[in-house]
Amino acid sequence: IIGGSETPDYAIPWQVLLSRNGQRGGGMVIGDRWIMTAAHVVVVMGNPVSKETIRIYMGLTDVNIRLGSPVLASSVHVHPEYNNSNSVNFNHDIALIKMQDSVTFSSSIMPICLPAAGATYINGMMGLVSGFGITEIDDRRILTNKMNYVHLPVVTQETCSNSITLLKRTRNGVPSLTENMFCAGVPEGGKDSCQGDSGGPYSLREDGRFWAAGIVSWGIDCGKQGTYGVYTRVANYIDWINKTMQEN
Amino acid sequence: CRRLPDPEPLMHGAVQSPQYPQPYSPNLQEQWDLSVPEGYQIQITFTHLDIEASTGCYYDALTLLYDAKILGKFCGQENSADGHHPGSQPIPSPGNRLTLIFQTDDNNPERHQNVGFSAQYQATDVDECSAPEPRDGSGPLCSQICLNTVGSYLCACHHGYELRPDQRSCVLSCGGGIFDELEGHLFSPGYPSPPPYAVSCQYIISVEPGFTVTLNFTDIFHIESTDTVQGPNCPHHWLQMTIPDREPIKLCGGKSPGQIVTNSNTVRLDYHTDDEGLSQGWSLDYSTHRVKCPFPGNMANGRVTPILTEYFYRDYIFVRCDQGYKLMMDGQEIEAFSTMCQSDEKWHLTLPKCHIIDCREPEPLLNGGVTFLSGFQNQYRSVVQYHCNEPFYTLLGGINVVFTCEADRKWRPNNDIIVSPTCIPVCGQPTKLIYAYQR
């Protein structure tokens, strides 16, 4: 998280830390046996990782203090249309992990709500993104062991698309924005999600409840002026999420 | 050689002179020995008799004998002046035997060919009872009552007497023995006539346990006594009443004891008279009553059926518990209970208790719990409410889930719509919010 703050205990109890062969990723609790994350966190070189390599940590804000024993995955369900073998296609960047054991919820572990069907993403609405990914201290990017968060507004598809188009002129291999994605961030930069936050939650609050609006997916650099973070638009996947959980 | 059995005597038959209805031959000497069963006598009836007539039936004759005694000697023809014709009326024999001897001389009259006789005989019942007393001093056939029967007779005795083994004489009867019927009548020998002297009779009334005997002296009660200041003394004649485990009581005098409740199922009566004095006797009716068991009392949280004012031997009672209670006996639950009043005046089973039922622990609720709104120990009519571990879980539907312990020992929801409570997680509401006050 760039430009954010350390998360107090119990403030984002649905945040999950995923560890896969030393690589960090994020996730969010959506049920007592289900974790939602980005597909690219559990797919490497076009192949899903084995469930045994995934370690799931919940209920912590400081990896050093309360890491504890990981929860194990019993199955991994990647969206069937996710196809990102060349790392430039983040469309359908969503996956579900089923845990071997159910979790009892408490102040430290709580599920985030799923969006209602047809939920709207209002431009400028402030969302909350969090993770254990790269942060920035004294202009140096470092990996933090503490959960960080930052409030970022929703950006219109047009604004985001324009920024990506602009970047594509100077860079190769820039992924494309699709209707299954949305952007959040500030044009002046300095606040953003970053590497290691992938799969983590971007939540919007409505009627006193946080709901999972997005999944940290991709972006050009982190916190750079004129760039925005790109998130999987969860509202587009409610049917698939419910179907997957019911069938498993 | 083996003797052939005597032929069974016939009940009737016919006898005819030789060659009948052809004329008989001269110089005949024919004999017929007729017999019928014992207890009967023979009656013979001549259907035809035509024998040469002579004075005193000197030449030809038919002679009837019973044990060498001549019953009659016949000859001649019917309605003839000569001879001695038997006529058509039956001729009885004194016993069950009759001998006929037909005898003819050596010549027959030439003008009239006599054909002899033809007769029918039959057995007729002998009225032994009307026979005169034998002269040998053996006494009458029956000492008291003679009953004539077909072919025989029976002797019987007057009330208070019984027939001796000789089947003809009678002896005074005590009427004693064991009386095991539930009610009956006893009386002194010969009652209401005075009994003979030196009577020693024993009567035992013994009915099955569970019944008690009550004596009720009716009508005459007169047993010779000696009156004393303390009451009648019974030195020579008495009726002694003996009840097990109690002192025997001697009864005498002229005043009836009336009703005596023995409270026992066995009573022995010994009637004694000596060879002097006079006691007219006594009679009594006895009845029985079933013993009584204690009143079962009122059952807490249950009831006894049927409800009676008193319970007697062989009465059954049943116990049912009120709704929400169960029958308990010796620490065990029983499905049903009944007990019977025994002969020892006790119930064969002690009454059970009615304990309140319980529904056991309510089903646990995952991520929730249950609290008692009323009642305790999961007893009948206890009310519990399910709740979820808030704020992390909430009840599905969001309404209060209240269950009551019902009589079928099941927790039933007060609202029939609820099948079972479920706690669903609360999402998106952290217990701590991130606030930023700096502007």
Side-chain angles (χ1 to χ4, degrees):
Chain A
I1 298 294
I2 306 297
S5 308
E6 289 182 7
T7 308
D9 286 344
Y10 316 132
I12 307 177
W14 44 83
Q15 177 71 51
V16 171
L17 171 64
L18 295 176
S19 174
R20 170 183 53 80
N21 295 331
Q23 295 275 18
R24 274 188 191 177
M28 66 197 91
V29 179
I30 60 168
D32 59 4
R33 294 188 72 158
W34 290 95
I35 303 291
M36 186 164 68
T37 187
H40 77 265
V41 173
V42 292
V43 175
V44 176
M45 303 296 285
N47 297 312
V49 298
S50 70
K51 62 185 182 188
E52 289 80 9
T53 61
I54 300 171
R55 295 183 178 188
I56 304 162
Y57 298 94
M58 294 175 288
L60 53 86
T61 54
D62 189 332
V63 178
N64 288 324
I65 295 174
R66 289 190 298 163
L67 192 61
S69 299
V71 177
L72 299 178
S74 67
S75 57
V76 178
H77 307 267
V78 178
H79 192 278
E81 294 178 65
Y82 176 72
N83 182 11
N84 190 21
S85 55
N86 53 5
S87 296
V88 293
N89 181 9
F90 285 88
N91 200 16
H92 309 298
D93 192 12
I94 184 169
L96 296 174
I97 300 169
K98 187 181 180 189
M99 294 179 279
Q100 285 187 356
D101 302 304
S102 65
V103 178
T104 300
F105 298 134
S106 62
S107 291
S108 58
I109 304 173
M110 175 182 275
I112 189 170
C113 304
L114 290 172
T120 54
Y121 293 69
I122 300 167
N123 182 36
M125 196 171 184
M126 294 301 287
L128 180 67
V129 62
S130 55
F132 290 91
I134 286 172
T135 187
E136 203 171 66
I137 299 173
D138 297 333
D139 292 334
R140 285 179 294 188
R141 292 189 172 184
I142 59 168
L143 186 65
T144 178
N145 286 324
K146 292 186 177 176
M147 190 202 304
N148 273 244
Y149 73 93
V150 67
H151 284 105
L152 294 172
V154 174
V155 176
T156 63
Q157 287 294 91
E158 186 183 7
T159 303
C160 187
S161 179
N162 290 341
S163 75
I164 292 168
T165 303
L166 203 62
L167 286 167
K168 278 187 174 180
R169 291 178 187 166
T170 57
R171 291 195 186 197
N172 292 326
V174 175
S176 298
L177 187 71
T178 70
E179 72 278 11
N180 296 316
M181 305 170 189
F182 72 95
C183 299
V186 289
E188 65 272 29
K191 290 182 177 180
D192 203 355
S193 54
C194 203
Q195 277 72 39
D197 294 325
S198 286
Y202 176 89
S203 58
L204 291 170
R205 192 163 182 237
E206 190 173 338
D207 296 333
R209 289 176 182 266
F210 288 91
W211 57 278
I215 302 168
V216 178
S217 183
W218 61 278
I220 309 298
D221 298 331
C222 301
K224 189 177 178 184
Q225 183 179 348
T227 65
Y228 302 95
V230 184
Y231 301 85
T232 305
R233 190 182 286 265
V234 178
N236 288 6
Y237 295 96
I238 289 301
D239 290 343
W240 175 77
I241 293 167
N242 285 331
K243 180 171 178 284
T244 302
M245 289 198 295
Q246 284 169 10
E247 289 178 355
N248 295 278
Chain B
C1 293
R2 191 175 65 178
R3 182 192 166 109
L4 290 170
D6 291 334
E8 277 293 311
L10 299 172
M11 292 298 285
H12 59 84
V15 60
Q16 293 174 335
S17 57
Q19 300 173 52
Y20 181 88
Q22 300 300 318
Y24 57 77
S25 309
N27 296 320
L28 286 175
Q29 177 76 28
E30 290 285 339
Q31 179 173 327
W32 294 268
D33 293 316
L34 308 180
S35 65
V36 294
E38 287 284 344
Y40 294 83
Q41 64 182 24
I42 291 181
Q43 277 192 345
I44 189 163
T45 304
F46 288 91
T47 56
H48 190 69
L49 187 135
D50 177 14
I51 299 172
E52 182 186 2
S54 60
T55 303
C57 299
Y58 182 77
Y59 299 114
D60 293 350
L62 176 64
T63 307
L64 273 55
L65 298 106
Y66 175 75
D67 282 350
K69 178 188 173 186
I70 295 173
L71 302 178
K73 192 172 186 179
F74 303 107
C75 61
Q77 296 90 32
E78 193 172 8
N79 300 323
S80 69
D82 299 336
H84 182 215
H85 194 275
S88 59
Q89 291 302 311
I91 300 168
S93 162
N96 66 328
R97 298 180 305 282
L98 182 65
T99 301
L100 278 68
I101 297 174
F102 184 46
Q103 196 171 17
T104 62
D105 62 4
D106 55 359
N107 63 2
N108 289 334
E110 295 177 357
R111 288 175 297 158
H112 179 74
Q113 294 290 306
N114 300 100
V115 297
F117 69 91
S118 172
Q120 301 282 338
Y121 71 91
Q122 64 179 2
T124 59
D125 181 45
V126 176
D127 183 4
E128 293 88 349
C129 295
S130 60
E133 188 176 326
R135 292 177 185 170
D136 58 3
S138 61
L141 208 54
C142 296
S143 67
Q144 288 190 353
I145 299 167
C146 182
L147 301 168
N148 181 43
T149 63
V150 176
S152 185
Y153 69 99
L154 289 172
C155 294
C157 301
H158 292 300
H159 182 66
Y161 293 82
E162 61 186 31
L163 200 61
R164 277 192 166 133
D166 64 6
Q167 300 297 315
R168 55 176 292 209
S169 57
C170 296
V171 65
L172 189 70
S173 169
C174 286
I178 295 178
F179 294 78
D180 56 4
E181 298 293 325
L182 293 179
E183 55 186 25
H185 182 68
L186 284 70
F187 50 86
S188 57
Y191 182 88
S193 302
Y197 296 119
V199 164
S200 181
C201 291
Q202 187 176 78
Y203 310 80
I204 296 173
I205 302 170
S206 181
V207 295
E208 65 172 296
F211 289 84
T212 59
V213 175
T214 298
L215 307 178
N216 191 15
F217 287 88
T218 56
D219 203 13
I220 300 167
F221 182 89
H222 180 262
I223 298 173
E224 186 191 74
S225 64
T226 304
D227 288 335
T228 63
V229 177
Q230 290 79 20
N233 193 11
C234 316
H236 307 296
H237 293 195
W238 63 76
L239 177 64
Q240 180 170 281
M241 180 176 70
T242 307
I243 296 167
D245 304 324
R246 279 185 249 173
E247 281 294 314
I249 300 170
K250 281 183 177 175
L251 304 171
C252 60
K255 185 182 175 187
S256 170
Q259 191 178 72
I260 298 176
V261 179
T262 67
N263 292 320
S264 170
N265 69 314
T266 301
V267 182
R268 198 181 83 193
L269 296 169
D270 292 289
Y271 184 46
H272 169 84
T273 64
D274 62 8
D275 50 6
E276 290 181 20
L278 179 65
S279 293
Q280 198 171 340
W282 49 269
S283 77
L284 64 85
D285 292 314
Y286 77 88
S287 58
T288 52
H289 299 89
R290 291 184 291 164
V291 299
K292 202 187 298 181
C293 274
F295 195 75
N298 293 324
M299 287 281 301
N301 304 309
R303 59 198 163 90
V304 174
T305 57
I307 300 169
L308 304 173
T309 52
E310 290 176 313
Y311 295 88
F312 297 99
Y313 173 54
R314 286 181 177 165
D315 279 347
Y316 272 88
I317 56 171
F318 302 85
V319 173
R320 289 184 176 83
C321 291
D322 296 340
Q323 180 169 294
Y325 291 82
K326 58 187 176 182
L327 280 169
M328 293 292 289
M329 195 169 184
D330 300 329
Q332 299 286 322
E333 184 179 353
I334 53 175
E335 283 192 6
F337 176 83
S338 66
T339 184
M340 190 189 76
C341 179
Q342 296 184 135
S343 60
D344 60 358
E345 304 178 35
K346 292 175 183 170
W347 296 102
H348 91 282
L349 290 173
T350 55
L351 290 187
K353 304 275 186 195
C354 286
H355 287 187
I356 194 164
I357 60 157
D358 72 79
C359 292
R360 300 189 177 179
E361 290 292 328
E363 284 290 317
L365 177 61
L366 182 64
N367 298 312
V370 60
T371 51
F372 276 89
L373 296 183
S374 66
F376 60 97
Q377 294 179 340
N378 308 315
Q379 287 180 346
Y380 175 58
R381 286 193 172 153
S382 292
V383 180
V384 295
Q385 184 175 32
Y386 280 97
H387 64 268
C388 292
N389 294 337
E390 293 178 336
F392 310 107
Y393 295 90
T394 186
L395 273 168
L396 180 63
I399 55 172
N400 285 338
V401 182
V402 177
F403 280 67
T404 303
C405 178
E406 300 287 0
D408 61 358
R409 307 185 195 195
K410 289 183 176 153
W411 291 100
R412 302 230 175 251
N414 291 11
N415 184 344
D416 291 337
I417 298 168
I418 298 164
V419 177
S420 62
T422 305
C423 287
I424 55 168
V426 172
C427 66
Q429 284 188 313
T431 54
K432 188 169 185 179
L433 289 172
I434 299 167
Y435 293 106
Y437 299 103
Q438 184 176 313
R439 294 180 182 177

